[in-house]
Amino acid sequence: MAIRNIVTEGEEILLKKSRPVEVFDERLHTLLDDMRETMNAAGGVGLAAPQVGVLKRVVVADVGEGVIELVNPEIIDEKGEQQEIEGCLSCPGKYGITRRPHWVKVKAKDRHGKEFTMTGEGLLARVFCHEIDHLDGKLFYDSVIEMVDPEELENE
Ligand code: NI
């Protein structure tokens, strides 16, 4: 495993649409392993492949209940609404209150190409939405209602 560089805002790759994975091979497994290590090292709760410079529909997430790997993920159902503070490893120092569904159902494939569905609520729902947006070239600003001054966060 290796820690990869996280692409930051201003790089064009973050605004591009990622391609679906068609081959579930060793290269994909290495990408997933590296993304997991990179996310953990950065202290993030989610990471999408374009953030490490790879335009493939691959996401990892970990909200403290173990690492979740999503290949070609799609949100197939959603309920409710939440407004919480969100940031992004690719947008250091930037935080905003986003509007997201409170609950989502995601359909995806695992690293071997097997399809599964999974639900997430609260933080996990937010992470799923945020990371899947990255695969469509969208940053969290698109969902922000109001930006938050990071200094106010530190004083809390
Ligand atoms: Ni992000």
Side-chain angles (χ1 to χ4, degrees):
M1 290 207 284
I3 294 174
R4 302 201 187 188
N5 282 331
I6 296 178
V7 174
T8 50
E9 209 181 349
E11 300 278 340
E12 211 165 296
I13 193 165
L14 290 175
L15 306 176
K16 291 186 174 170
K17 204 170 158 78
S18 293
R19 290 179 299 274
V21 171
E22 283 164 10
V23 183
F24 295 79
D25 59 359
E26 230 11 79
R27 256 185 103 188
L28 172 67
H29 299 173
T30 301
L31 172 65
L32 281 160
D33 292 342
D34 288 356
M35 284 174 63
R36 170 193 297 231
E37 195 174 358
T38 305
M39 171 179 67
N40 289 339
V45 290
L47 191 69
Q51 293 183 276
V52 293
V54 178
L55 280 173
K56 285 186 181 168
R57 303 189 79 82
V58 175
V59 161
V60 293
D62 187 351
V63 296
E65 296 159 2
V67 177
I68 298 164
E69 298 179 346
L70 304 172
V71 180
N72 302 343
E74 283 172 64
I75 292 170
I76 55 170
D77 198 8
E78 59 177 70
K79 284 178 197 152
E81 188 188 297
Q82 57 176 322
Q83 296 183 10
E84 296 289 341
I85 291 175
E86 207 169 300
C88 176
L89 291 175
S90 292
C91 312
K94 305 280 182 63
Y95 299 92
I97 298 168
T98 58
R99 182 181 284 126
R100 302 280 193 191
H102 179 69
W103 176 95
V104 295
K105 187 180 207 175
V106 174
K107 181 175 89 174
K109 288 187 171 177
D110 71 11
R111 59 165 62 205
H112 304 291
K114 188 167 183 278
E115 192 173 288
F116 65 97
T117 59
M118 184 171 199
T119 62
E121 66 177 287
L123 175 60
L124 188 56
R126 220 150 68 227
V127 173
F128 284 158
C129 294
H130 178 120
E131 303 310 332
I132 292 170
D133 275 353
H134 273 300
L135 305 182
D136 292 319
K138 287 192 239 167
L139 295 176
F140 78 111
Y141 302 121
D142 291 357
S143 303
V144 164
I145 305 164
E146 194 186 344
M147 291 304 289
V148 176
D149 183 348
E151 281 184 19
E152 279 177 34
L153 292 179
E154 282 162 22
N155 293 338
E156 264 175 22

